[in-house]
Structure formats: structure tokens, C-alpha cells
Amino acid sequence: MGDLLGKLFEQHELTKEEMIYFLKHLTPDLKYRLFDLAVQTRKKFYNESVFMRGLIEFSNFCKQDCLYCGLRRSNSRAERYRLTEEEILECAAEGYRLGYRSFVLQSGEDCYFTEERMISLVKNMKAQYPDAAITLSIGERSEAFYRALFDAGTDRYLLRHEAASRSLYQALHPGMSYDNRVNCLWTLKKMGYQVGAGFMVGLPGQTCEHLAEDLLFLKELHPEMIGIGPFIPHSATPLKAAQGGTVEDTLVMIAMARLLIPDALMPATTAMGSLDREGREKALLAGSNVVMPILSPLKVREKYALYENKICMGDEAARCRSCIEMRIAAAGFKIELSRGDHCSFITHT
Ligand code: SF4
């Protein structure tokens, strides 16, 4: 086991069989060595920095029906909302005033936000905040759409791959295509976006084999950003009675992903903080280096419920920022409010 950990740290790779063996035989001691090596690795590329992204959840309408998600179209209990372009720009203005230079615009797959509307939004944000990076996280769209939004100034795109195992993906995503998901990610990557992929840990039916496939997929895609969080069952979904993932298992995946793709930007997710008060700090101490405080207006925050009991629902953006900054500093890290590009995208003048 020590040899496998050494290989992971020094060569940034393991075979699928080695990963499965490693996951099945991980002892508490080795786990702490794994976390320690993950932190060392992340420091080589990003020092002590934790990059801040202001998250604006602008619509919770979704045409998809993912079995685990509270925003799925079949959830008639969800109170749907859409922010107007003006409201979204107000959130960005508040974020900019607080110092953020990186914004993530996230929604369900909402057809109301057409190419034209999204171009208008991105162009207006870029005109007002030319020194800020814009990330979209709005699901599967056409190649032409991705191209148009890239040309409009979008810098990054988040699209979790969700499950690299075709059978697991299909079981969780009725009516969706595994091939299309993967194609979208490669298309975005080739187009020049900084791309984010990722998955949940602890999904019903997920095995060590599936997790190894997720890690190998990430290794092959080499996304600039990797989001890994625990599965948290939502009471208005078909998976309401499922067990859910643990913080501990998620930390192992974060640390392994850090060692396999050492230069990735990896959020300490809100889902981690929702399961465990110290969850985000623990993620930072297992290799994460990004935090995404919510900038959405208070009146809609609770409605963006991919899962329930989410933290930070009642805090003003300013309070959210100071709370998270205190936590990051207390964990021994340094807050970074700049655009926070992936190290391969930074141009030195
Ligand atoms: S996971 Fe995304 S695509 Fe699936 S139902 Fe939820 S918001 Fe829609």
C-alpha cells in the first residue's frame, strides 16, 4: 500500500486495479498520509492560496430529471424561479464590490436562457467587469452554443461528468446520453474553455470500480477544475431513502484526484460544509483549493436546492465572505480574490 501511495505521489498515476486495491485496503494511517501528500502537491502549484468564486444561482428550472437532484423536472414541490439579467448583474455588482474577480453563473438546464440571452448577459458582465473571469454552469448545450458563448467572453465551463461508468450514468440520468455528456466535455476543452468536471461520492450502486473509473476519466480529460462532493439524498426525489455519501469517503476521492491531476483547481464544496460543519476546511486539508460563496439574492437561495439542509442560506453576501474567509485563514490558508485562472492559463507579462 505504501508503494501505491508513493507511485500516486511521484508519478501521478495508478492503474484501475491498483486504485481499486488501494481503496479497498486504505487504513486510517495511510489516509492521513494521503491527505498530507495531497496538500504538499497542491502547494507546489498554488502555494497556500484558496481561490474565491462568487456563485450566482440564477434559475432553478431544469428540463432534466436526474434521479438524485431536487431541481429535477418531476419535482413538483420545487418552487421555481428565474433571475432577470438586471438581478444577475446586481449580484455581480455586489460580488465585485466585495472584491470577487471570478463569477460562476449556475442554473438547471433552462431553455429560457437561450444563446441570445446568455450572450447578452456575458457581454454585459464583461463590459462592466473586464478584469473578472466568468464561468458558466448551465448544462449540456450544442457545440454552436458553446462556441458563441466562448466568443462572447466566457472563460470557463463547469459540467460534472457525474459518472464515468456508462451503466451507472444511465441508471441515474433517464433520457440523457452518456456519449453526449462526454462529448460536451471534450468539445468545451478543445474550444479553449477552462473546463470543470467531477462527480458525487456515495451514490446508490456506486462501487470502488466506479470510483476508479471516475478518477481515470478525470486523468484522461485533464480538466482545469474538478468538483467532487458527497451525494446527499433529497426528500422529493426517487433516491430519498438512499443512504448518502460520507465526508470521509469524499475526502479520499479529493486527495486521490489531487495526486492524479496535481494542477487542478478543486472546490471545497458547499455539500461538504452541509454534511459537516468543518467539511470545507477538511476538504482544503485534503487537497482542495477553491471556495464558492453564494451571491444569489436571499429570497431565492433556499429554492436552489439540489439537495436539502444546504448551509449559508440566510447570510448576506458580505457576511458569507467574512465567515468563509475566517474559516480559510483559521485552517492556515491564504484568501485569493483574483480571477484565479488555472496555472496553465496564466499569461506572464
Ligand atoms: S443535476 Fe443538473 S441537469 Fe440534473 S436535474 Fe439537477 S439541475 Fe437538472
Side-chain angles (χ1 to χ4, degrees), residues 222-329:
H222 199 147
E224 284 72 28
M225 301 166 287
I226 298 174
I228 300 176
F231 160 59
I232 304 178
H234 188 295
S235 65
T237 66
L239 300 184
K240 62 183 173 201
Q243 195 163 13
T246 66
V247 166
E248 208 59 20
D249 289 346
T250 309
L251 293 173
V252 170
M253 283 298 115
I254 290 172
M256 286 183 77
R258 167 60 66 202
L259 292 179
L260 288 165
I261 305 105
D263 57 0
L265 290 155
M266 298 179 57
T269 61
T270 309
M272 287 292 270
S274 300
L275 270 194
D276 174 342
R277 234 188 130 261
E278 310 279 311
R280 286 177 295 182
E281 290 88 330
K282 287 179 182 170
L284 295 175
L285 292 167
S288 293
N289 60 345
V290 172
V291 170
M292 293 165 49
I294 303 171
L295 293 175
S296 320
L298 289 180
K299 64 174 184 183
V300 301
R301 281 213 204 156
E302 281 194 7
K303 297 178 186 163
Y304 202 86
L306 300 156
Y307 54 89
E308 291 160 310
N309 302 320
K310 205 168 150 189
I311 49 168
C312 308
M313 288 301 95
D315 290 341
E316 297 288 348
R319 215 180 123 198
C320 223
R321 184 186 148 184
S322 61
C323 160
I324 195 68
E325 286 191 4
M326 261 166 34
R327 288 166 165 270
I328 292 167

Side-chain angles (χ1 to χ4, degrees), residues 66-69 160-163 168 172-173 198-204 206 210-211 214 227-233 239 245 250 253 271 306-307:
C66 309
L67 294 193
Y68 48 78
C69 180
R160 283 189 177 188
H161 68 276
E162 305 293 3
L168 184 62
L172 295 167
H173 302 93
F199 59 97
M200 284 189 287
V201 179
L203 285 161
Q206 190 183 51
H210 292 136
L211 293 170
D214 284 320
I228 300 176
F231 160 59
I232 304 178
L239 300 184
T250 309
M253 283 298 115
L306 300 156
Y307 54 89

Side-chain angles (χ1 to χ4, degrees), residues 62 64-66 68-69 71-72 108-109 306:
C62 189
Q64 303 294 4
D65 220 14
C66 309
Y68 48 78
C69 180
L71 304 193
R72 65 198 305 266
E109 287 197 16
L306 300 156

